[in-house]
């Protein structure tokens, strides 16, 4: 791994990074913005999203989707935001992460309690939004579902269970349903955002570290940071740059208060990115 480099500072809380059309795209939960950033440090505010949390991904050859409150919204060619699917029938709580597979199936998760209001923990769920726009629950009993990624062959969904300190895998069936739930890796701390590389390893933000993990739990590499790593993605021209969304974190009650300590940090990775995202 190369030394850490700083690509951008002054972010409130960066989440849901994606490499798309030659730029790094991410959500800034504090600024309520979707931002695109190139490798020359030029940034652009793509749109504003007035909710927390909110996450992004793209349909294959299609528009950007954004989780926002109890809806999945879609960016139109003119930049306007419209409702793609109303998910309020599946949960009364706001939706968190999203990942779209190569067939256009969008998987979204919901922690199923109001963390910001201090509600008591309840197990979360995963929902599927099909390319036709139908929505249904496909998994439950997830202990604070967080980052998600799909393997390169589209056969497996891996999800970070933050409160269970593990990565969990599901087989993706022909109709998009999730089966054969199993532990992919036990960790020594709560994972957050994740991505997959071409060698089948998962990178995961985990506290003040970004970890490269093999199925079964072996930590192949650990990058130590001076602040919390919320999420990561592999991108760049050959997808061999690891982008890390990092910020000082003093608890949910302090989100949006005080200085904006969020950064985009980068390092060269030993294997390129693969799968979705």
């Amino acid at each position: 791994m190369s030394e850490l480099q700083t690509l951008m500072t002054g972010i409130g809380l960066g989440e849901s990074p994606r490499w798309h059309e030659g730029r790094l795209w991410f959500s800034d939960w504090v600024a309520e913005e979707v931002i695109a950033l190139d490798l020359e440090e030029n940034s652009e505010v793509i749109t504003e999203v007035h909710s927390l949390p909110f996450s992004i991904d793209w349909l294959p050859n299609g528009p950007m989707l954004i989780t926002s409150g109890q809806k999945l919204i879609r960016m139109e060619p003119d930049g306007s935001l419209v409702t793609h699917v109303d998910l309020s029938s599946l949960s009364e709580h706001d939706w968190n992460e999203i990942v779209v597979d190569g067939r256009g199936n969008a998987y979204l998760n919901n922690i199923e309690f109001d963390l910001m209001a201090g509600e008591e923990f309840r197990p979360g769920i995963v929902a599927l939004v099909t390319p036709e726009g139908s929505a249904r629950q496909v998994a439950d009993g997830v202990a604070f579902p967080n980052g998600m990624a799909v393997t390169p062959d589209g056969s497996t969904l891996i999800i970070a269970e933050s409160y269970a300190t593990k990565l969990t895998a599901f087989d993706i069936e022909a109709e998009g349903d999730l089966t054969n739930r199993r532990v992919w890796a036990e960790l020594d701390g709560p994972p957050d955002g994740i991505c997959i590389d071409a060698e089948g390893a998962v990178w995961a933000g985990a506290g003040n570290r970004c970890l490269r993990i093999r199925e079964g739990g072996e930590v192949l590499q650990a990058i130590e940071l001076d602040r919390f790593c919320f999420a990561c993605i592999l991108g760049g021209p050959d997808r061999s740059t690891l982008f890390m969304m990092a910020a000082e974190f003093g608890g949910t009650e302090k989100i949006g208060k005080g200085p904006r300590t969020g950064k985009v940090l980068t390092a060269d990775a030993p294997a390129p990115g693969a799968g979705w995202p």
Side-chain angles (χ1 to χ4, degrees):
M1 297 291 295
S2 65
E3 293 185 4
L4 286 174
Q5 302 292 324
T6 300
L7 189 62
M8 184 175 179
T9 61
I11 300 164
L13 198 163
E15 269 280 12
S16 189
R18 302 287 187 264
W19 184 257
H20 181 71
E21 295 184 342
R23 294 192 291 180
L24 177 74
W25 300 57
F26 62 90
S27 306
D28 186 340
W29 286 3
V30 171
E32 299 184 326
E33 296 170 343
V34 174
I35 297 170
L37 173 67
D38 68 22
L39 297 179
E40 285 71 48
E41 303 182 15
N42 302 303
S43 63
E44 176 188 2
V45 175
I46 301 298
T47 191
E48 296 181 356
V49 182
H50 301 298
S51 66
L52 194 164
F54 67 97
S55 301
I56 61 173
D57 208 352
W58 279 262
L59 291 170
N61 302 313
M64 179 169 62
L65 301 179
I66 308 171
T67 60
S68 178
Q70 294 179 319
K71 295 180 179 180
L72 181 60
I73 59 178
R74 182 182 72 248
M75 175 175 277
E76 298 288 73
D78 64 1
S80 61
L81 300 178
V82 300
T83 297
H84 187 67
V85 179
D86 188 324
L87 298 162
S88 58
S89 63
L90 298 181
S91 176
E92 62 182 12
H93 296 284
D94 293 344
W95 294 85
N96 184 23
E97 285 279 355
I98 179 174
V99 66
V100 180
D101 73 11
R103 294 179 294 179
N105 291 319
Y107 294 93
L108 304 86
N109 64 47
N110 194 313
I111 69 172
E112 283 290 86
F113 66 100
D114 190 337
L115 178 67
M116 304 300 290
E119 284 186 1
E120 185 176 346
F121 164 77
R122 291 194 300 172
I125 62 175
V126 180
L128 164 67
V129 175
T130 69
E132 295 74 33
S134 65
R136 64 182 184 272
Q137 182 179 312
V138 289
D140 59 12
V142 187
F144 202 118
N146 227 316
M148 297 187 292
V150 176
T151 55
D153 62 3
S155 68
T156 306
L157 175 75
I158 300 174
I159 184 168
E161 289 197 65
S162 294
Y163 279 15
T165 64
K166 65 183 178 182
L167 302 177
T168 296
F170 297 87
D171 290 345
I172 300 176
E173 299 298 325
E175 299 301 319
D177 292 297
L178 301 180
T179 61
N180 188 28
R181 179 175 180 164
R182 58 201 182 275
V183 175
W184 197 88
E186 297 276 6
L187 305 177
D188 63 2
D192 201 322
I194 66 173
C195 65
I196 297 175
D197 71 22
E199 295 180 357
V202 168
W203 283 99
N208 284 33
R209 300 176 297 168
C210 193
L211 304 177
R212 185 172 183 245
I213 307 153
R214 176 178 290 156
E215 185 174 5
E218 179 186 0
V219 176
L220 302 173
Q221 287 172 282
I223 301 175
E224 302 289 338
L225 307 179
D226 67 351
R227 60 201 65 202
F228 199 95
C229 183
F230 285 92
C232 55
I233 196 68
L234 289 157
D238 58 1
R239 293 200 68 183
S240 292
T241 299
L242 179 68
F243 296 88
M244 292 159 280
M245 311 305 301
E248 295 177 7
F249 183 61
T252 55
E253 68 279 0
K254 295 184 179 180
I255 292 177
K257 301 175 183 178
R260 296 188 176 185
T261 63
K263 294 182 176 183
V264 177
L265 301 173
T266 68
D268 292 337
W276 299 271

